[in-house]
């Protein structure tokens, strides 16, 4: 064997054989299953028939690993709740979740079927009541262009309530541009509806009270007595059940505080008392207490008045043109 051939053989062994070995290992590996792709995956806007009254709910289904569907669900009360497994077969599905704010100690159960881009079925609450429901795919709400802002609209002014109506018996009063609710009662809703907007709102609550500002009447920004607490999904500055603010910026009870909100499609930026605590994050779906689940449509502002005393002032909204 001549010297040149020996040199070439050593070179082949040192550089090419490891590559061939790796290629052979890849080709002989067992096949890896692709992630599950089910027609029920995605987000769904749901309307429940509660004794003839349409009540909004929301469902998200996604895969976990190769064989399991999981998700989260918002009922017509309470916050988003995780679903440990969604059972789906032959176009039908069902799941169960523990009770939250409902009366009763049984699981909350939901079953349904998919037909094209629509769902329908029934649900049973922990107190044993059963209702029918229908659902459609939730819109993405992605905007192709940046908004052009219109003129600001002042929603609080003077000593009369203008541009608002109460959902129920009204306990709200207006004094010198301040909307006051001295006790738990009706929520207050704007007559006008909005799509994308910038919003400034100032509020004051006593110790232990609770309120919220609903964007498009569907997404609740929490107003709570949160001074000294850690940021949480149910405390000041949270999108109830979905987004936790980065910091707790609450002032003492009885002090005026502020929200500055930008909502474009589903994308939210929130400034609490001068500090940005949510930066361009997506709101997945409606929160408990929403007026409806028609996410593709404009909606009103509403301020919560059924969880204790609260005052609001300097509510100014700047809608997109």
């Amino acid at each position: 064997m001549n010297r040149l051939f020996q040199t070439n053989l050593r070179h082949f062994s040192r550089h090419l054989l490891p590559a061939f070995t790796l290629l052979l290992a890849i080709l002989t590996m067992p096949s890896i299953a692709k992630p599950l792709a089910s027609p029920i995956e995605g987000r769904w806007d749901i309307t429940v028939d509660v004794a003839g009254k349409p009540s909004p709910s929301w469902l998200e289904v996604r895969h976990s690993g190769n064989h399991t569907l999981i998700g989260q669900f918002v009922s017509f009360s309470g916050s988003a709740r995780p679903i440990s497994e969604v059972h789906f077969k032959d176009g039908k599905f069902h799941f169960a979740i523990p009770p939250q704010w409902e009366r009763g100690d049984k699981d909350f159960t939901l079953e349904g079927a998919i037909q094209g881009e629509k769902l329908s079925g029934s649900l049973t609450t922990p107190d044993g009541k059963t209702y029918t429901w229908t659902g459609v795919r939730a819109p993405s709400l992605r905007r192709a262009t940046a908004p052009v802002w219109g003129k600001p609209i002042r929603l609080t002014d003077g000593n009369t309530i203008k541009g608002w109506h109460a959902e129920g018996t009204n306990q709200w009063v207006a004094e010198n541009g301040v909307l006051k609710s001295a006790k738990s009662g009706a929520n207050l809703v704007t007559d006008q509806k909005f799509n994308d907007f910038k919003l400034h709102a100032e509020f004051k609550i006593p110790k232990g009270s609770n309120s919220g500002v609903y964007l498009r009447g569907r997404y609740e920004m929490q107003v709570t007595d949160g001074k000294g607490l850690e940021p949480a999904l149910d405390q000041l500055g949270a999108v109830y059940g979905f987004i936790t603010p980065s910091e707790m910026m609450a002032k003492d009870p009885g002090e005026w505080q502020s929200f500055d909100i930008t909502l474009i499609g589903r994308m939210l930026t929130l400034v609490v008392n001068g500090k940005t605590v949510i930066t361009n994050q997506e709101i997945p779906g409606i929160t408990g207490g929403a007026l409806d689940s028609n996410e593709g449509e404009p909606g009103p502002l509403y301020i919560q008045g059924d969880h204790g005393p609260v005052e609001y002032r300097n509510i100014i909204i700047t809608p997109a043109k």
Side-chain angles (χ1 to χ4, degrees):
M1 183 180 298
N2 62 48
R3 184 174 300 173
L4 179 61
F5 181 80
Q6 289 177 329
T7 300
N8 289 339
L9 183 61
R10 286 195 299 269
H11 178 82
F12 176 84
S13 301
R14 185 166 61 250
H15 295 285
L16 297 182
L17 281 180
F20 278 113
T21 302
L22 176 61
L23 178 61
L24 182 62
I26 292 173
L27 293 175
T28 56
M29 285 176 62
S31 61
I32 300 174
K34 294 181 180 180
L36 179 68
S38 168
I40 199 176
E41 288 189 55
R43 295 169 176 169
W44 301 87
D45 286 336
I46 289 173
T47 301
V48 185
D49 183 352
V50 180
K53 177 185 177 182
S55 298
S57 292
W58 176 87
L59 171 67
E60 180 179 34
V61 179
R62 60 186 184 274
H63 65 263
S64 176
N66 297 323
H67 308 292
T68 305
L69 291 172
I70 62 173
Q72 53 184 339
F73 178 73
V74 176
S75 181
F76 43 85
S77 65
S79 64
R81 303 178 232 184
I83 307 169
S84 61
E85 185 170 6
V86 178
H87 304 276
F88 179 77
K89 185 177 181 180
D90 298 329
K92 297 182 179 180
F93 68 98
H94 64 92
F95 62 82
I97 52 178
Q100 192 185 56
W101 301 110
E102 301 90 359
R103 296 178 180 178
D105 55 3
K106 298 179 181 179
D107 279 350
F108 188 113
T109 62
L110 184 145
E111 60 182 26
I114 183 171
Q115 291 183 332
E117 296 294 284
K118 295 183 178 181
L119 303 178
S120 62
S122 63
L123 61 82
T124 302
T125 59
D127 60 357
K129 295 179 180 179
T130 298
Y131 305 106
T132 59
W133 58 268
T134 57
V136 296
R137 284 202 182 272
S140 69
L141 302 183
R142 295 187 181 94
R143 306 307 192 210
T145 59
V148 176
W149 301 111
K151 294 182 179 180
I153 301 170
R154 178 174 286 274
L155 296 170
T156 49
D157 193 21
N159 296 309
T160 58
I161 298 176
K162 297 179 181 179
W164 301 80
H165 61 272
E167 294 282 301
T169 303
N170 180 42
Q171 81 285 356
W172 293 85
V173 297
E175 294 180 359
N176 299 319
V178 178
L179 292 174
K180 298 182 179 181
S181 176
K183 61 180 181 178
S184 295
N187 300 323
L188 203 59
V189 183
T190 60
D191 298 333
Q192 189 172 351
K193 295 182 178 182
F194 307 96
N195 203 343
D196 296 346
F197 55 80
K198 295 189 292 184
L199 174 69
H200 175 84
E202 298 174 14
F203 52 88
K204 181 170 65 174
I205 59 173
K207 187 174 181 60
S209 192
N210 183 297
S211 183
V213 178
Y214 278 76
L215 313 179
R216 300 193 194 113
R218 302 181 187 110
Y219 315 117
E220 183 186 9
M221 308 301 304
Q222 282 285 84
V223 172
T224 64
D225 168 26
K227 181 68 177 289
L229 301 178
E230 288 295 313
L233 288 172
D234 60 352
Q235 292 298 327
L236 181 75
V239 178
Y240 184 44
F242 280 127
I243 303 176
T244 301
S246 60
E247 297 183 50
M248 173 56 73
M249 295 302 299
K251 297 181 179 180
D252 289 325
E255 289 192 47
W256 282 105
Q257 307 187 62
S258 66
F259 280 167
D260 286 282
I261 295 166
T262 302
L263 181 65
I264 302 172
R266 295 184 181 277
M267 307 310 293
L268 173 79
T269 295
L270 171 66
V271 178
V272 179
N273 296 326
K275 178 73 172 182
T276 302
V277 296
I278 297 174
T279 303
N280 202 37
Q281 289 195 44
E282 183 185 45
I283 302 176
I286 67 168
T287 61
L291 296 178
D292 62 48
S293 58
N294 304 324
E295 291 191 90
E297 300 178 4
L301 292 179
Y302 96 70
I303 52 179
Q304 196 173 49
D306 60 356
H307 278 52
V310 65
E311 298 179 36
Y312 285 89
R313 71 180 185 187
N314 293 331
I315 301 179
I316 302 169
I317 190 166
T318 303
K321 290 183 178 180

